[in-house]
DNA sequence: GCAGAAGTTTGACCGGGCACAACGATTGCC
DNA sequence: GGCAATCGTTGTGCCCGGTCAAACTTCTGC
């Protein structure tokens, strides 16, 4: 573990409103750890011993139901907090966090949370904003699942991933971490099979370019139009 | 508007950890208002001028999509906060709040939030817990919509409503505010027609007892079994 | 008490997407 | 470099649940 360079994280929303002295004090309680690709940061149901800030890489948060189905809750990008169970009063992590790329995280012990909040109330307010935003996003997802066709949900999911973690290429935008059709199915509430079919269709139409655990959006704008199309509307008016 | 009796709200999660002096100071900034049945507390998209605590009655939070579909985000019961947009940094309410029964709410002006949080950091921590719990609930809802059949989703929704706002009768539990099939459809991501069909089936089996905007769960345990059944499992093993 | 509105029920139809299944492609391991 | 495991593609049949349509029931206001 090394001391984290304050300047790298000072601009993050989590630390908004904190002075550099304060920030240093907060960082002093954290340890950074490296998680290799495909390793678990924590498992669903385990004691919530820490909360985290992702410095580098990508982490997938997923939940498994009692009957064995899995769904992807979200992909966490650099600069985002995750595993905030301690802050919202949970004893156990409600989901599993897996590094999908080699990743580096900062971890604070759970016991530090009450102390930090007492000393720097801004931390609670900032975390509240983040959690509130995620609640909004999740509501959006519920709405999509209630009212949209599978094709539109996949379009939305890809656009969100591209926006959050897209890498610009000469001929499109690439999702810059490994993601399988199965993962997309678990994000959009459908099956691997349907995702595969739809992406194949899009590939033939030149909208995307696929590959194993790899997706490039060649025509983001056309995908956006697909996403906004009302169900049953074929767009040719 | 009258001064609120502190003892009535002192036990609420929102005020956990506050002394009675503190509580009085917080309450001094709020005004209570009565909203008759079917009136709107605020509309989706409107300026977020206040945040609220429900003292009495029931409020439905719903969202309308650009294409006109509506979904019910949640039902708010007495003692719960709602319309917390100001606390999570939103300028506008992301949903519409409608009193489904004659209701009484406490409202704080948005501008009071930063001041209150600075003075009583516990408020932010408490709100964070509430919002975090709602995020968990919403994730659960996403999982249900991804993995369960309509019948099971309706069963879960009714059980949740009964738990949150059930009134015990001699022969079952009644949801103690007016709720239509349409509302249930909008909570579970299905159509009014399907809800009606399923409830009719349950009524014939003696599981529930219906009526206009009224539902009594006569056999909560059997409904629970339905809810937990895996898709395709007919329960007769 | 009556008219209109709002909410509910039921039937017929049918299409999207899931289950099942088999094959093809890529990767990592030894 | 060969092999096994994983990941992805594609085809077929079927059923859940959505759409369309229409009648019925319960409430509300005059």
């Amino acid at each position: 573990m090394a001391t984290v360079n304050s300047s790298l994280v000072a601009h993050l929303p989590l630390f908004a409103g904190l002075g550099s002295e304060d920030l240093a004090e907060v960082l002093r309680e954290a340890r950074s750890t490296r998680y290799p690709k495909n390793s678990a940061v924590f498992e669903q149901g385990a004691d919530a011993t820490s909360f985290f800030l992702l410095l580098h890489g990508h982490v997938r948060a997923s939940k498994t139901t009692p009957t064995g189905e899995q769904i992807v809750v979200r992909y966490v990008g650099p600069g985002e907090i995750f595993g905030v169970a301690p802050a919202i009063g949970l004893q156990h992590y409600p989901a599993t966090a897996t590094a999908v790329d080699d990743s580096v995280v900062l971890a604070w012990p759970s016991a530090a949370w009450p102390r930090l909040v007492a000393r720097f109330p801004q931390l609670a307010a900032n975390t509240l904003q983040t959690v509130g935003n995620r609640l909004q996003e999740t509501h959006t997802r519920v709405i999509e699942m209630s009212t949209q066709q599978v094709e539109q949900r996949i379009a939305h999911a890809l656009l969100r991933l591209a926006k959050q973690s897209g890498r610009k290429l000469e001929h499109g935008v690439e999702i810059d971490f490994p993601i399988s059709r199965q993962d997309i199915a678990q994000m959009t509430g459908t099956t691997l099979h349907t995702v595969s079919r739809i992406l194949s269709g899009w590939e033939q139409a030149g909208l995307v370019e696929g590959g194993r655990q790899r997706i490039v959006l060649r025509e983001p704008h056309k995908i956006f139009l697909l996403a906004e199309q009302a169900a049953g509307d074929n767009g040719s008016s």
Side-chain angles (χ1 to χ4, degrees), chain A:
Chain A
M1 167 211 146
T3 303
V4 178
N5 187 333
S6 300
S7 64
L8 294 176
V9 296
H11 67 285
L12 296 179
L14 177 60
F15 302 123
L18 263 64
S20 57
E21 295 283 314
D22 301 340
L23 179 54
E25 190 174 333
V26 173
L27 291 178
R28 210 171 297 133
E29 305 217 26
R31 340 193 110 245
S32 86
T33 316
R34 185 180 159 281
Y35 290 88
K37 181 172 172 176
N38 292 328
S39 63
V41 180
F42 55 79
E43 300 274 357
Q44 179 173 346
D47 278 355
T49 55
S50 306
F51 55 96
F52 304 87
L53 172 64
L54 182 60
L55 293 179
H56 184 77
H58 290 276
V59 167
R60 178 186 58 224
S62 60
K63 291 191 80 154
T64 304
T65 67
T67 52
E69 294 100 345
Q70 287 200 342
I71 71 132
V72 172
V73 173
R74 69 192 324 265
Y75 279 90
V76 178
E80 290 188 84
I81 56 176
F82 68 103
V84 291
I88 61 181
L90 298 175
Q91 304 290 332
H92 305 275
Y93 295 114
T96 295
T98 311
V100 294
D101 251 350
D102 288 353
S103 299
V104 179
V105 311
L106 267 187
W108 285 262
S110 296
W113 176 256
R115 190 168 61 241
L116 287 173
V117 166
R119 195 145 162 55
F120 309 110
Q122 261 309 113
L123 282 179
N126 294 341
T127 304
L128 177 56
Q129 291 219 1
T130 299
V131 174
N133 286 333
R134 288 184 189 175
L135 181 57
Q136 293 308 311
E137 290 167 15
T138 309
H139 280 154
T140 301
R141 196 163 156 190
V142 169
I143 291 176
E144 285 179 9
M145 299 201 50
S146 296
T147 62
Q148 299 186 336
Q149 305 287 90
V150 170
E151 187 167 23
Q152 289 154 29
R153 302 210 299 266
I154 294 175
H156 272 125
L158 290 186
L159 289 172
R160 243 175 285 140
L161 288 173
K163 192 171 177 184
Q164 189 196 337
S165 303
R167 194 154 52 85
K168 191 111 183 56
L169 304 180
E170 332 75 85
H171 54 295
V173 182
E174 176 172 10
I175 314 282
D176 83 339
F177 54 85
I179 183 167
S180 71
R181 317 289 150 137
Q182 177 73 31
D183 292 325
I184 296 174
Q186 289 175 355
M187 296 180 69
T188 52
T190 182
T191 59
L192 152 68
H193 310 268
T194 302
V195 173
S196 185
R197 258 180 260 273
I198 287 176
L199 289 188
S200 294
W202 288 358
E203 187 147 16
Q204 292 209 329
L207 297 182
V208 302
E209 196 177 297
R212 188 192 177 75
Q213 313 231 85
R214 187 171 158 281
I215 299 174
V216 180
L217 280 60
R218 302 202 61 144
E219 306 252 20
H221 184 62
K222 285 191 182 170
I223 295 174
F224 180 79
L225 290 179
L226 264 180
E228 295 301 309
Q229 238 169 62
D233 179 356
N234 63 9
S236 60
S237 56

